[in-house]
Amino acid sequence: MFDWIRRGACAAMLLTGLGANGGAQAQEFPQPGRPLMFVSGFPAGTAIDIYGRIILERVQRELGVPMVIDIRSGASGNIGMEHVARAAPDGHTITLATSAMMAINPAVFPRMPIDTQADLVPILGVFDAPNFMTVSTEKRPDFTTCQAVVDAARARPGQLNYASTGNGASTHLAGAQFASVLGLNLVHVPYRGGPFAMTALYQGDVDVFFYQTGPVIEFYRQGRVRLLAVTSGQRVAAVPEVPTVAEACNLPGFDSTTWYALMAPARTPQPILNRLTEVFTRVANEPEVRERIAAMGFTPNVQPPEATRARLARDIVTWRDVVARTGARAE
């Protein structure tokens, strides 16, 4: 009998020890030698990829493990988001998601692979990115102001068009929102990403392209495009000469800005989330990182998890209304 009690006690101690060790191991972050996978839902050269490369060395130095940029593009970012949502919740798989992915996609896609509020959890909001109303300097020399485009659209309803980086993308919704507010009949022409849409703009296949700040500012500085207005509520520090849509087209309150936030799988333990937030907050606030972000035309806007979660909840409602009003749908 005593032998049975002794064996039971030993077994209980063993199970307790394994549970404690297993729990400690599960909570260990980062796991030595295991890389941090930074998932991009869009191709190389886009804002998410660029930001990842800006912070890569700093994050590696902070965490002591490699950081790998893992590109999983497609379906307006849904493929990358789903991969992260389904990943092990151990802090080693994160993504930089846009408000278009998180708040617009649920409104324009008939079926979403994940629930962006339930399956992902914010680590940190990092920066904001408006779109520029962009035209080709060569193909549209008459489009020198936002008002000139509006006048042409009203004179030729249904004949002017605008490019986007795909159905449901922020570049689509910015144009749709602009046309809706002004009562314009603009034809939407979706492309499979920014480079294809920009080529169409150069060739004169499309009249206007509401493109994000980072990629388009360099083309503007080269003189290849004209920036007629920016869709944010405030002018962009990198190109302060470009007016807002509200200013250029007399549309007080117009604002169509995309924000970017780091996200992790929803089941990630809070201590790991706290560590990620601590590290990325420190990196995002480094002066050189902020300067490089601002030079790209983005606005550094570091937001804690709670504020990012609230911002997402508000934007889901806002963009659901915009989509309902414009009839935008992903195909």
Side-chain angles (χ1 to χ4, degrees), residues 137-257:
T137 52
E138 178 185 352
K139 298 296 183 179
R140 296 293 182 268
D142 52 326
F143 288 172
T144 56
T145 65
C146 178
Q147 191 59 50
V149 175
V150 173
D151 292 343
R154 284 179 174 155
R156 294 177 285 155
Q159 295 184 42
L160 264 65
N161 57 22
Y162 69 98
S164 81
T165 54
N167 284 303
S170 66
T171 52
H172 174 197
L173 269 295
Q177 185 177 3
F178 175 79
S180 175
V181 170
L182 285 166
L184 304 178
N185 184 4
L186 297 178
V187 178
H188 171 229
V189 184
Y191 289 87
R192 292 182 296 110
F196 297 99
M198 188 59 75
T199 298
L201 192 77
Y202 292 149
Q203 293 175 344
D205 296 331
V206 291
D207 301 296
V208 182
F209 182 18
F210 288 83
Y211 201 20
Q212 279 199 354
T213 55
V216 81
I217 282 181
E218 188 57 36
F219 300 134
Y220 167 67
R221 289 170 176 158
Q222 293 170 3
R224 301 175 68 183
V225 299
R226 185 179 295 113
L227 304 182
L228 303 183
V230 63
T231 63
S232 54
Q234 303 293 326
R235 295 193 182 198
V236 172
V239 282
E241 69 276 15
V242 179
T244 65
V245 168
E247 295 170 327
C249 280
N250 192 27
L251 289 174
F254 186 93
D255 191 348
S256 181
T257 302

Side-chain angles (χ1 to χ4, degrees), residues 93-123:
T93 305
I94 66 171
T95 188
L96 181 60
T98 71
S99 55
M101 296 161 61
M102 301 286 292
I104 296 177
N105 283 8
V108 298
F109 278 85
R111 295 182 63 184
M112 282 287 290
I114 65 167
D115 182 326
T116 58
Q117 289 180 289
D119 296 332
L120 294 170
V121 62
I123 297 169

Side-chain angles (χ1 to χ4, degrees), residues 231-304:
T231 63
S232 54
Q234 303 293 326
R235 295 193 182 198
V236 172
V239 282
E241 69 276 15
V242 179
T244 65
V245 168
E247 295 170 327
C249 280
N250 192 27
L251 289 174
F254 186 93
D255 191 348
S256 181
T257 302
T258 301
W259 48 262
Y260 288 70
L262 291 157
M263 311 294 291
R267 304 173 314 283
T268 305
Q270 194 59 49
I272 293 177
L273 290 174
N274 292 343
R275 175 69 172 139
L276 287 167
T277 299
E278 172 196 359
V279 167
F280 280 100
T281 298
R282 193 155 48 240
V283 169
N285 280 323
E286 286 193 20
E288 184 181 351
V289 172
R290 294 178 67 89
E291 288 169 9
R292 292 181 67 179
I293 292 300
M296 293 167 60
F298 300 134
T299 302
N301 187 14
V302 178
Q303 296 275 333

